[in-house]
Amino acid sequence: MTAPRLILVLGDQLSHDLSVLREGVKSRDIVVMAEVRDEGTYVPHHAKKIALILAAMRHFAAELKDDGWTVAYTPLDDPDNTHAISKELLRRAEEYDAESVVSTASGEWRLRSLLEHTPIPVSQLPDDRFLCSEGDFAAWAKDRDTLTMEYFYREMRRRHDILMDGDKPEGGQWNYDKENRKPAEPDLFMPEPLHHQHDEVVAEVLDLVAREFPETFGTLRPFWFAATRAGAEAARDWFMTEALPRFGDYQDAMLAGEDFLYHSILSPYLNIGLLDPLDLCRRAETEYREGRAPLNCVEGYIRQILGWREFIRGVYFLEGPDYAERNALNATRDLPWFYWSGETKMACMAHAIGQTRDEAYAHHIQRLMVTGNFALLAGLDPQQVAEWYLAVYADAFEWVEAPNVIGMALHADAGVFATKPYAASGAYINRMSDYCKTCHYSVSKKTGEGCCPFNPLYWDFLLRHRERFEKNRRVSRSYATWDKMDADKQEAYRDSAAAILAKLDAGEAI
Ligand code: DLZ
Ligand code: SF4
């Protein structure tokens, strides 16, 4: 029999059909899994995110053992732990007399490169848990001037035969987004996501995280994420019946005190491999076909998974290792401390950040149009902002976080796929939420003391980047509005923006 190989399984690769497990030989190879400090601290991950990953890794390792694999598992507090993935591989190679390692390619350029440079040869197989391979995405993108998610999505619908009526889209339209922008009203019957009971593994991991990462961001307890496949599947079934039928209508809405609305909260499970993307799409489609959920909700949900999620990953790997370093708008302002503390008088920011601290979760519009929009308008350094998003969300891994932050929210990639900067004044937040009602600032006040900071910062942002954006058809109207404004009003906007930015620079809370 040939020498054993090590099979590396990372903390976001917890799927039984992982390419490297399909390739491995149970009777010969050793699965290596390691809880290491390097992965826990390359950004200051949210305590709940670390706990979810470690608890799910432990459950997955137990499932592999039950399935007949030999698993060399290093707990975080093992005295022999070297606290780095590549060093753990070397240690295990010596222990098991193995000369090579196979892995499924990581979702981050950083780890891919680290594994390439490990002294023992590591071959990295494609991660085919995604529905569009990196090669297929590159072929689709080749010869296109602009990368448009909508066209990619249509091809994915056809290719995977999801929500199709022959060769036409179900219902006659590909996209029902126009129906999905309703502001929400408080509703006594709004569903609460499933809260999973702790088992022994979770209880032990929570103690471990509290002990080993005492300074990390975020509230650890109460902890209600599932850490097993069965738990994640129960959360999936809950979403399909309880929230999907209203998901679409209110997917962009925000309400104070309602952290989840009709969102699925499945992305943390999906992104570590406990759920399968095609299965989610097919189950959502069944809800529509059997008359339990309307088409606009089901299509909107499927678009997030089959369209947006695959597209975004395609962009990350197509654009290359420097993608996360881009800063096309030369934004250099430091991330204000209130992104970590939540201590700001802006109610929208305080709500989005406060719930992020407590739940390691905020939905897409909070991320894009509140914290992301503020970062764009205030000219915050994209790398500091990206690090924040990567750290604070339980579902954040760089393949998904970087394009959403660097590309979509901050336009720091000069518009690889976003045709305009997602800049908005307070009016947008007021339309989509009830945050402004209780805010220290007045959303209807455009300038001066007590004005909503988003109002002057919006104009200041557009003016700072006039050369770049004024010919953009999707923004040019705003420049025309500015040009028609009285000089006094223009000056008041400029002065108010300068005062807010000066406060940020002085480290003062706003
Ligand atoms: C995010 C994370 C954390 C916090 N801890 C571990 C760990 O201890 N061991 C491990 O194998 N993976 C961990 N991960 C996930 C990796 O960082 C992940 O594979 C990369 O972010 C690439 O997506
Ligand atoms: Fe946010 Fe402005 Fe509304 Fe306050 S007034 S909640 S800062 S948008």
Side-chain angles (χ1 to χ4, degrees), residues 8-13 33-37 39-42 45 49-50 53-54 57 76 85 106-108 110-111 396-399:
L8 174 65
V9 175
L10 294 164
D12 56 352
Q13 299 183 334
M33 296 179 72
E35 300 174 359
V36 292
R37 198 163 272 287
E39 293 307 306
T41 55
Y42 68 90
H45 296 290
K49 178 183 187 183
I50 302 178
I53 292 172
L54 301 192
M57 283 175 71
L76 195 73
I85 295 288
S106 147
E108 249 190 14
R110 173 189 66 91
L111 260 185
F397 297 92
E398 201 177 76
W399 63 266

Side-chain angles (χ1 to χ4, degrees), residues 53-237:
I53 292 172
L54 301 192
M57 283 175 71
R58 288 180 182 203
H59 274 293
F60 188 69
E63 288 170 15
L64 291 179
K65 280 184 195 160
D66 286 347
D67 203 23
W69 288 99
T70 304
V71 182
Y73 191 96
T74 314
L76 195 73
D77 52 1
D78 183 335
D80 293 332
N81 194 334
T82 58
H83 288 296
I85 295 288
S86 51
K87 288 187 191 150
E88 280 303 285
L89 289 172
L90 293 178
R91 186 166 77 84
R92 296 300 191 184
E94 202 170 293
E95 182 181 344
Y96 289 96
D97 224 5
E99 287 166 8
S100 64
V101 180
V102 243
S103 75
T104 288
S106 147
E108 249 190 14
W109 286 110
R110 173 189 66 91
L111 260 185
R112 286 191 181 184
S113 154
L114 193 137
L115 290 173
E116 264 169 33
H117 295 99
T118 297
I120 181 170
V122 182
S123 63
Q124 305 190 45
L125 309 177
D127 188 347
D128 54 14
R129 296 174 299 166
F130 290 86
L131 302 172
C132 179
S133 70
E134 289 164 42
D136 282 353
F137 189 83
W140 175 82
K142 195 168 163 282
D143 303 331
R144 281 173 198 264
D145 291 340
T146 48
L147 303 181
T148 306
M149 198 288 290
E150 184 63 27
Y151 298 129
F152 170 80
Y153 166 58
R154 292 178 190 179
E155 272 200 41
M156 292 293 280
R157 289 265 296 273
R158 284 198 195 93
R159 197 186 304 167
H160 293 278
D161 193 23
I162 301 268
L163 279 186
M164 296 300 295
D165 176 7
D167 60 357
K168 301 234 160 38
E170 182 65 27
Q173 287 178 53
W174 290 103
N175 182 319
Y176 293 86
D177 220 14
K178 284 202 185 68
E179 295 173 34
N180 290 354
R181 292 178 189 145
K182 299 189 183 80
E185 290 295 325
D187 172 359
L188 288 178
F189 300 104
M190 203 168 288
E192 260 288 297
L194 265 195
H195 282 38
H196 300 267
Q197 296 299 318
H198 296 179
D199 54 28
E200 273 172 35
V201 170
V202 173
E204 204 172 293
V205 165
L206 292 180
D207 288 342
L208 179 77
V209 172
R211 203 169 59 239
E212 298 286 334
F213 299 96
E215 302 295 332
T216 205
F217 174 79
T219 316
L220 179 61
R221 294 184 168 95
F223 181 91
W224 52 264
F225 285 133
T228 60
R229 187 166 317 280
E233 287 170 356
R236 172 199 69 196
D237 296 346

Side-chain angles (χ1 to χ4, degrees), residues 254 259 339 342 346-358 361-363 365-367 370-371 388 392-393 435:
M254 298 173 280
D259 298 345
Y339 270 78
M346 293 179 282
C348 53
M349 293 286 282
H351 277 292
I353 296 167
Q355 94 169 62
T356 298
R357 180 195 57 224
D358 293 341
Y361 174 79
H363 73 61
I365 293 298
Q366 294 173 302
R367 298 189 204 192
V370 179
T371 45
W388 183 79
V392 303
Y393 291 114
Y435 295 148

Side-chain angles (χ1 to χ4, degrees), residues 311-328:
F311 176 81
I312 261 338
R313 177 175 182 269
V315 167
Y316 176 73
F317 285 113
L318 181 72
E319 287 294 307
D322 78 313
Y323 185 76
E325 300 307 317
R326 295 187 194 171
N327 189 359

Side-chain angles (χ1 to χ4, degrees), residues 164-410:
M164 296 300 295
D165 176 7
D167 60 357
K168 301 234 160 38
E170 182 65 27
Q173 287 178 53
W174 290 103
N175 182 319
Y176 293 86
D177 220 14
K178 284 202 185 68
E179 295 173 34
N180 290 354
R181 292 178 189 145
K182 299 189 183 80
E185 290 295 325
D187 172 359
L188 288 178
F189 300 104
M190 203 168 288
E192 260 288 297
L194 265 195
H195 282 38
H196 300 267
Q197 296 299 318
H198 296 179
D199 54 28
E200 273 172 35
V201 170
V202 173
E204 204 172 293
V205 165
L206 292 180
D207 288 342
L208 179 77
V209 172
R211 203 169 59 239
E212 298 286 334
F213 299 96
E215 302 295 332
T216 205
F217 174 79
T219 316
L220 179 61
R221 294 184 168 95
F223 181 91
W224 52 264
F225 285 133
T228 60
R229 187 166 317 280
E233 287 170 356
R236 172 199 69 196
D237 296 346
W238 168 88
F239 168 66
M240 295 291 165
T241 54
E242 302 299 320
L244 177 64
R246 303 180 81 181
F247 163 79
D249 298 20
Y250 304 113
Q251 66 168 284
D252 290 358
M254 298 173 280
L255 282 180
E258 290 292 348
D259 298 345
F260 306 107
L261 291 112
Y262 301 96
H263 289 272
S264 73
I265 334 295
L266 297 178
S267 51
Y269 309 134
L270 182 59
N271 290 354
I272 61 173
L274 297 184
L275 295 176
D276 173 68
L278 195 57
D279 174 68
L280 289 176
C281 294
R282 294 218 184 284
R283 281 171 191 271
E285 178 171 7
T286 301
E287 294 304 299
Y288 162 69
R289 300 249 177 237
E290 298 191 355
R292 292 188 293 267
L295 185 54
N296 69 306
C297 293
V298 169
E299 186 281 316
Y301 180 69
I302 286 175
R303 180 157 23 92
Q304 298 304 320
I305 311 262
L306 187 65
W308 190 243
R309 181 173 187 267
E310 296 289 332
F311 176 81
I312 261 338
R313 177 175 182 269
V315 167
Y316 176 73
F317 285 113
L318 181 72
E319 287 294 307
D322 78 313
Y323 185 76
E325 300 307 317
R326 295 187 194 171
N327 189 359
L329 303 184
N330 297 317
T332 54
R333 185 160 282 113
D334 283 338
L335 188 79
W337 178 247
F338 59 72
Y339 270 78
W340 299 106
S341 70
E343 285 165 15
T344 160
K345 290 181 279 188
M346 293 179 282
C348 53
M349 293 286 282
H351 277 292
I353 296 167
Q355 94 169 62
T356 298
R357 180 195 57 224
D358 293 341
E359 306 289 0
Y361 174 79
H363 73 61
H364 67 150
I365 293 298
Q366 294 173 302
R367 298 189 204 192
L368 179 66
M369 300 307 293
V370 179
T371 45
N373 185 25
F374 185 85
L376 175 74
L377 301 187
L380 304 186
D381 174 348
Q383 279 64 53
Q384 293 182 38
V385 178
E387 178 176 307
W388 183 79
Y389 279 92
L390 190 56
V392 303
Y393 291 114
D395 54 17
F397 297 92
E398 201 177 76
W399 63 266
V400 57
E401 173 274 323
N404 274 303
V405 174
I406 299 287
M408 187 75 175
L410 302 182

Side-chain angles (χ1 to χ4, degrees), residues 344-351 370 374 425-430 433-444 450-455:
T344 160
K345 290 181 279 188
M346 293 179 282
C348 53
M349 293 286 282
H351 277 292
V370 179
F374 185 85
S425 67
Y428 174 84
I429 295 173
N430 191 34
S433 79
D434 62 358
Y435 295 148
C436 302
K437 287 184 191 155
T438 56
C439 187
H440 164 86
Y441 297 105
S442 164
V443 71
S444 57
C451 74
C452 165
F454 285 85
N455 292 339

